[in-house]
Amino acid sequence: MKRTFLTILCCLSMAGTVLMAQNANDSTATRNIRTGWTFGVLPSVAFDADLGFQYGALTNIYYFGDGSTYPEYLHSIYAEAAYTTNNYGLLRLSYDSRYLIPNHRLSLDLSYLPDAMCDFLGFNGYNTILHPEWVTKGPDGTFESNPDYITRAFYKMQRDIFRLSADLQGDIAPRWYWNLGLGVLNYKVGAVDVDRLNGNKDENLLPDTTTLFDIYRDLGLIKPNEAKGGFNPYVHAGVTFDTRDRQNNPRKGIHADAFFTYSAGLGDQVNFNNLKFNAAWRHYIPLLFHIKANPSSGIQKDQVLTLAYRAGVQMLVAGESPFYANTYMNQLYMQRVLYEGLGGANSVRGIMRNRILANGFAYGNIELRAQVAHFKVGKENFYIGLNPFLDGGMVLQPMDMTIDENTIDSQTEELYLKPNIQDADTYGLHLAAGCGIKIAMNDNFILSVDWARSIKDQDNYKNSNLYIKMGYMF
């Protein structure tokens, strides 16, 4: 809670500075074309009772050249470094350009993402029963007052990811592009290290007890050779159709892609060679414009309302995929720190991370993007936006939950699992709704604050989630 409060306070301070600068400038100032280099910097300072003190910063550097391509950038360099005293955070450096190699888009990414308390909510969505009372506080706001409390780590595991990727896109025909890419994902997974998280605290905030990850491993649902993670290089290839008017925050057009990803398993992961198929359709529809007179350049028309929606699938075509890799949504090129699904900030907001963990899944998002205020601060163009949204996802290919009858009793099955659940429930729809606030600089550097609530309590034992990140989700 403290972490969320400090981050919101930072965002509100930035918004207040922007609004004061707006009042100090001529309200009729026009939105100039940006040239040369520009960048935005935000601190990454927070505190979390489980994760410790977080310190760091992020920046996005853009180069617009002579401005002839604005708001499209010639080069983008993104860097973020944030870490906590209890081993949670991210280190990332990425580069994106359509101009370094003429007529090609090159994207490079190097990331290390340690996560001491990653959500693990079982397989196949509603096949796993969530018990909020085991991980939440009692009526007086303490865990001690909840007689059913087990540990906040019950639906958690440790997961560290190292990622290195290089993706290239080239022209086929007008609006059509080919894509090739390769990369490495190295996972380290296991049970939560409660001793490290408890540290020297006087009270045992995270009791060292059995978690859902331990239960899945003991039942054989998580195999011995995937229980610690593994080294998984991959290569992908596909096609893209793109009629968007811009890359970041498009106002109109279609962006669709389809591709295959082959992942290899090395060492004790040799049985996990697999082929997956991904397809996604994104559509941006202009709905409303604001037209005003401009003394210096005549009539100016600003688009202030856009309907945006996305629909996609990820399917296992051949081979076997380790459970930890099914939390990863394959992408043709990296634009975010982590593409995690289904559930969470980058797939289905309001649904807990990894709630829909399956071999194959579908997802959809629809939102209204309204720009409620435009202004300038110095040479930079800003706007404030609102975007109400509805997100959803569902299982298409369940993971195998066959359990030896000799290793499970009726009480364990009743408390944790529903391996014999009806298909209508397994393939049920997970829905959430919410609203976001955006503060954008030069249509590229976009600070986003989204709040979302799940429709069903089984999808989020906290009922709602707040996400603070960079950019629109799609």
Side-chain angles (χ1 to χ4, degrees):
M1 184 65 185
K2 291 181 180 178
R3 180 183 179 186
T4 300
F5 174 76
L6 286 176
T7 311
I8 293 173
L9 185 61
C10 176
C11 296
L12 291 177
S13 297
M14 177 181 175
T17 302
V18 168
L19 290 175
M20 286 188 292
Q22 178 191 9
N23 293 332
N25 285 277
D26 182 1
S27 62
T28 61
T30 60
R31 301 175 68 208
N32 294 336
I33 292 176
R34 195 65 173 89
T35 62
W37 293 93
T38 184
F39 67 95
V41 179
L42 286 176
S44 181
V45 179
F47 176 79
D48 185 283
D50 288 330
L51 305 178
F53 178 75
Q54 177 178 307
Y55 50 93
L58 63 88
T59 183
N60 212 156
I61 303 171
Y62 298 99
Y63 180 63
F64 294 104
D66 61 5
S68 59
T69 63
Y70 181 84
E72 295 288 353
Y73 52 78
L74 300 184
H75 305 281
S76 169
I77 301 171
Y78 180 88
E80 183 170 4
Y83 218 72
T84 75
T85 53
N86 287 339
N87 193 31
Y88 176 90
L90 64 95
L91 298 170
R92 185 189 182 208
L93 178 64
S94 67
Y95 170 79
D96 183 54
S97 175
R98 292 181 183 269
Y99 297 91
L100 183 66
I101 304 175
N103 301 317
H104 291 77
R105 178 177 186 177
L106 175 65
S107 298
L108 305 174
D109 184 272
L110 175 64
S111 300
Y112 175 59
L113 311 169
D115 192 343
M117 290 276 281
C118 178
D119 292 297
F120 178 75
L121 307 175
F123 298 165
N124 302 335
Y126 296 132
N127 271 169
T128 302
I129 309 168
L130 297 188
H131 294 269
E133 66 275 12
W134 293 350
V135 294
T136 54
K137 297 179 180 179
D140 66 352
T142 65
F143 292 103
E144 291 78 8
S145 62
N146 177 8
D148 298 314
Y149 174 72
I150 298 177
T151 171
R152 280 181 289 172
F154 187 82
Y155 294 115
K156 306 289 184 180
M157 69 176 185
Q158 179 179 340
R159 184 196 64 186
D160 298 347
I161 302 176
F162 171 82
R163 179 181 68 209
L164 176 63
S165 66
D167 302 300
L168 188 65
Q169 182 182 86
D171 297 337
I172 298 175
R175 303 296 189 177
W176 287 91
Y177 308 91
W178 55 262
N179 299 271
L180 291 173
L182 53 86
V184 170
L185 287 168
N186 187 32
Y187 286 84
K188 179 183 177 182
V189 302
V192 172
D193 188 347
V194 295
D195 291 335
R196 186 168 197 170
L197 290 175
N198 281 324
N200 297 320
K201 299 182 178 71
D202 294 334
E203 53 184 335
N204 191 18
L205 297 177
L206 292 168
D208 189 2
T209 186
T210 301
T211 66
L212 187 64
F213 178 88
D214 297 318
I215 294 169
Y216 266 63
R217 183 180 54 194
D218 294 343
L219 292 175
L221 294 173
I222 295 177
K223 300 179 178 63
N225 62 333
E226 62 181 335
K228 295 183 179 180
F231 187 77
N232 301 96
Y234 67 86
V235 59
H236 60 228
V239 295
T240 298
F241 175 67
D242 191 355
T243 66
R244 295 174 300 170
D245 59 337
R246 60 183 69 178
Q247 294 181 52
N248 289 339
N249 185 22
R251 313 295 178 84
K252 62 179 180 179
I254 294 170
H255 182 218
D257 54 45
F259 61 97
F260 289 92
T261 301
Y262 173 75
S263 298
L266 302 182
D268 58 2
Q269 307 290 298
V270 69
N271 294 330
F272 292 124
N273 297 293
N274 63 81
L275 182 67
K276 291 183 179 180
F277 172 73
N278 286 76
W281 174 277
R282 309 163 190 87
H283 193 187
Y284 309 89
I285 305 171
L287 297 180
L288 184 63
F289 295 87
H290 177 219
I291 301 176
K292 61 182 179 179
N294 188 312
S296 61
S297 59
I299 299 299
Q300 178 178 336
K301 183 170 73 169
D302 289 330
Q303 185 175 326
V304 295
L305 186 63
T306 304
L307 174 66
Y309 68 90
R310 177 180 70 165
V313 297
Q314 178 167 299
M315 303 290 288
L316 180 65
V317 178
E320 185 178 0
S321 177
F323 88 94
Y324 57 80
N326 284 343
T327 68
Y328 195 84
M329 291 179 63
N330 294 324
Q331 301 291 320
L332 282 177
Y333 47 86
M334 298 297 164
Q335 291 182 299
R336 293 194 176 281
V337 173
L338 186 60
Y339 292 88
E340 200 162 23
L342 284 182
N346 295 317
S347 58
V348 185
R349 293 159 291 191
I351 307 296
M352 297 198 70
R353 284 193 305 168
N354 306 324
R355 177 54 175 144
I356 310 169
L357 181 59
N359 284 323
F361 51 77
Y363 57 93
N365 319 94
I366 183 169
E367 61 184 43
L368 282 173
R369 298 178 178 177
Q371 297 182 18
V372 297
H374 292 90
F375 47 88
K376 292 190 62 181
V377 178
K379 295 181 180 180
E380 314 302 340
N381 303 312
F382 283 83
Y383 74 78
I384 294 178
L386 295 175
N387 64 303
F389 56 81
L390 177 68
D391 295 349
M394 64 181 299
V395 173
L396 293 182
Q397 291 177 309
M399 296 172 66
D400 184 16
M401 295 188 70
T402 302
I403 301 172
D404 188 339
E405 293 182 357
N406 296 322
T407 64
I408 185 171
D409 54 44
S410 58
Q411 183 181 17
T412 300
E413 182 174 341
E414 180 181 353
L415 288 176
Y416 308 118
L417 310 174
K418 289 184 178 179
N420 300 317
I421 195 171
Q422 296 296 318
D423 285 347
D425 293 322
T426 301
Y427 298 102
L429 188 61
H430 303 249
L431 287 173
C435 189
I437 299 174
K438 315 296 179 186
I439 302 175
M441 182 179 76
N442 296 324
D443 287 297
N444 286 289
F445 190 83
I446 303 171
L447 177 64
S448 172
V449 181
D450 289 338
W451 175 88
R453 180 183 176 89
S454 62
I455 303 302
K456 295 183 179 180
D457 292 340
Q458 276 291 296
D459 282 327
N460 192 337
Y461 54 73
K462 295 182 293 185
N463 296 321
S464 64
N465 278 5
L466 182 71
Y467 309 100
I468 301 174
K469 55 187 177 61
M470 301 304 299
Y472 285 91
M473 187 170 68
F474 62 94

